[in-house]
Amino acid sequence: MSLSYYWSKEFIGKRPFLWLLLICNVLGTIYGYIWYGHQISDTVTRGQYWQVIFVPDSPTASLFFSIAILLLLYPPRTALSAMVQQWIEALAVVTSVKYGIWAVAIIFAGQAQGDVLVWQDWMLVVSHTAMAVEALLFVRLFHYRWTALAGAIAWTFLNDTVDYSFGVFPWLPGQLYDDLSAVELFTYLLTLFSGLAAWLSRKYALPKSSM
């Protein structure tokens, strides 16, 4: 078989491949929530309970993607559940692209200012790059429309606003706290970029009538 087959819609839509991807993402999601454990605990300790949902950005993106894959394996049977599927898929693509790129950019920005990378950083680079790639790859199997995408973008902007208004953004390399305003601007712009990427990839993945 040609290499292109392994990137094709036919191959990635096979149930064994979907199950493998689901297992990998669930494990990554669990690890991600453990990774954010100290920051979640700190937020709870300060009594900011409502902000907890906005703390673990990357694992929540991975959770959305895991649910989206599960819904491909077990498609919804009602109109309401199909609508929920669209919202989950849109959130999966926007947040996976956004936080996949964000984490890699922040890691290397910290390195450029003197942060010494360890093996965990390289593991995060690989896993977060995979997040962004798999999200755009699976757009061909997803069903979300522009209304769901608009909602996903709005949610991600809300997440950005809570992160930088209340200081619950992901902990940064120490060298970057002097550049917090630049990091905040980059984060908002990346949400716009991720929404555009999700829209364009969806637009060219399906006939116009499907949008």
Side-chain angles (χ1 to χ4, degrees):
M1 294 182 182
S2 65
L3 184 61
S4 61
Y5 170 76
Y6 295 100
W7 293 93
S8 68
K9 181 177 179 179
E10 179 185 359
F11 177 75
I12 65 174
K14 290 182 178 296
R15 292 184 70 85
F17 185 80
L18 292 175
W19 273 111
L20 176 62
L21 195 66
L22 176 61
I23 292 169
C24 291
N25 276 272
V26 167
L27 292 175
T29 300
I30 294 170
Y31 178 81
Y33 281 114
I34 294 172
W35 179 275
Y36 273 90
H38 291 300
Q39 189 172 357
I40 293 172
S41 177
D42 181 65
T43 304
V44 170
T45 299
R46 289 184 279 123
Q48 299 168 331
Y49 304 107
W50 69 272
Q51 296 171 15
V52 169
I53 192 174
F54 298 102
V55 172
D57 294 336
S58 293
T60 300
S62 181
L63 177 62
F64 286 140
F65 190 81
S66 297
I67 297 173
I69 295 299
L70 186 63
L71 290 173
L72 290 178
L73 287 163
Y74 299 99
R77 297 183 179 181
T78 67
L80 178 59
S81 57
M83 185 180 300
V84 172
Q85 180 184 29
Q86 288 190 38
W87 283 85
I88 293 294
E89 290 174 346
L91 284 164
V93 175
V94 173
T95 59
S96 293
V97 171
K98 190 259 182 71
Y99 295 116
I101 295 174
W102 187 92
V104 174
I106 292 300
I107 288 170
F108 287 127
Q111 182 191 38
Q113 295 195 30
D115 188 31
V116 178
L117 303 189
V118 295
W119 70 267
Q120 291 98 329
D121 295 309
W122 292 108
M123 178 269 293
L124 291 173
V125 167
V126 172
S127 61
H128 282 77
T129 299
M131 280 177 59
V133 171
E134 69 181 6
L136 293 176
L137 184 63
F138 273 81
V139 162
R140 291 174 287 175
L141 301 181
F142 288 164
H143 311 82
Y144 64 83
R145 298 174 182 270
W146 69 267
T147 48
L149 180 56
I153 295 170
W155 167 263
T156 310
F157 272 128
L158 174 62
N159 198 342
D160 296 341
T161 301
V162 173
D163 276 358
Y164 293 94
S165 296
F166 297 93
V168 292
F169 52 84
W171 288 342
L172 305 171
Q175 294 83 354
L176 295 184
Y177 281 92
D178 289 341
D179 304 308
L180 188 56
S181 295
V183 171
E184 180 179 358
L185 176 61
F186 171 69
T187 302
Y188 276 102
L189 291 176
L190 194 53
T191 294
L192 282 175
F193 171 82
S194 300
L196 180 62
W199 176 69
L200 289 176
S201 58
R202 178 68 177 155
K203 177 180 179 181
Y204 291 106
L206 292 175
K208 291 183 179 180
S209 59
S210 299
M211 289 295 290

